[in-house]
């Protein structure tokens, strides 16, 4: 790997929010020891928030690109190298539902499709797609 390396990561602010949420739900779990339903719900929410925060700690960089190809996070905290020759298409899938717009960066290799959101990348998906296309072609 020589030359420049581009990296996109989860914003630190989101990690902090997830940690605070896990802590708050853990406190709610303790405060609801006399209410089994509330305790279970708060405990489940604390567990989910903690797992999401742990993933952000273990794999903060969700996508990186260099002269050889891409490295994309796969699964909980694993990664997969995808050479540029295997990338068939880079596009942004945008959908609007109930006045809410969602965008995903779609990296298609023909055999697999990797989907990354703005929350994974830290910046809008269109910007990442444009940077990747420019980086891949060199102009």
């Amino acid at each position: 790997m020589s030359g420049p390396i581009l990296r996109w990561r989860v914003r630190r602010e989101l990690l902090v929010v997830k940690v605070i949420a896990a802590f708050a739900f853990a406190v709610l779990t303790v405060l609801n020891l006399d209410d089994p339903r509330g305790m279970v719900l708060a405990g489940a929410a604390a567990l989910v928030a903690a797992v999401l925060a742990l993933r952000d700690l273990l794999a903060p960089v969700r996508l990186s690109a260099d002269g050889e190809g891409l490295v994309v996070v796969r699964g909980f905290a694993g990664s997969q190298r995808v050479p540029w020759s295997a990338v068939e298409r880079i596009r942004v899938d945008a959908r609007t539902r109930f006045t809410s717009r969602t965008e995903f960066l779609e990296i298609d290799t023909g055999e697999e499709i990797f989907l990354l959101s703005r929350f994974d990348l830290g910046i809008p998906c269109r910007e990442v797609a444009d940077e990747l296309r420019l980086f891949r072609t060199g102009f």
Side-chain angles (χ1 to χ4, degrees):
M1 273 191 290
S2 62
I5 299 174
L6 302 176
R7 290 184 177 93
W8 293 275
R9 62 182 300 128
V10 175
R11 292 178 50 201
R12 286 180 176 83
E13 295 88 357
L14 287 177
L15 171 61
V16 170
V17 167
K18 291 173 188 176
V19 169
I20 291 171
F23 180 74
F25 284 122
V27 168
L28 280 174
T29 302
V30 172
L31 292 176
N32 283 302
L33 290 177
D34 58 335
D35 177 18
R37 288 184 192 148
M39 184 181 70
V40 168
L41 288 174
L47 182 64
V48 168
V51 167
L52 292 173
L54 180 63
R55 181 178 189 225
D56 289 353
L57 282 171
L58 294 175
V61 177
R62 297 290 206 258
L63 175 67
S64 62
D66 59 28
E68 297 174 13
L70 304 170
V71 177
V72 184
V73 167
R74 182 182 179 115
F76 185 75
S79 64
Q80 180 176 342
R81 175 160 274 291
V82 179
W84 285 117
S85 61
V87 176
E88 291 183 4
R89 183 175 56 176
I90 297 170
R91 73 180 195 103
V92 175
D93 181 32
R95 297 174 190 254
T96 303
R97 290 198 179 124
F98 304 115
T99 69
S100 177
R101 182 177 172 88
T102 58
E103 288 186 345
F104 288 96
L105 175 68
E106 181 180 295
I107 300 169
D108 187 354
T109 66
E111 294 180 18
E112 294 180 273
I113 295 178
F114 299 96
L115 295 173
L116 299 160
S117 72
R118 177 185 185 135
F119 298 109
D120 291 317
L121 303 169
I123 62 173
C125 296
R126 291 203 185 279
E127 290 180 28
V128 177
D130 292 342
E131 286 184 57
L132 284 174
R133 287 187 202 108
L134 187 73
F135 188 76
R136 182 179 184 185
T137 60
F139 56 99

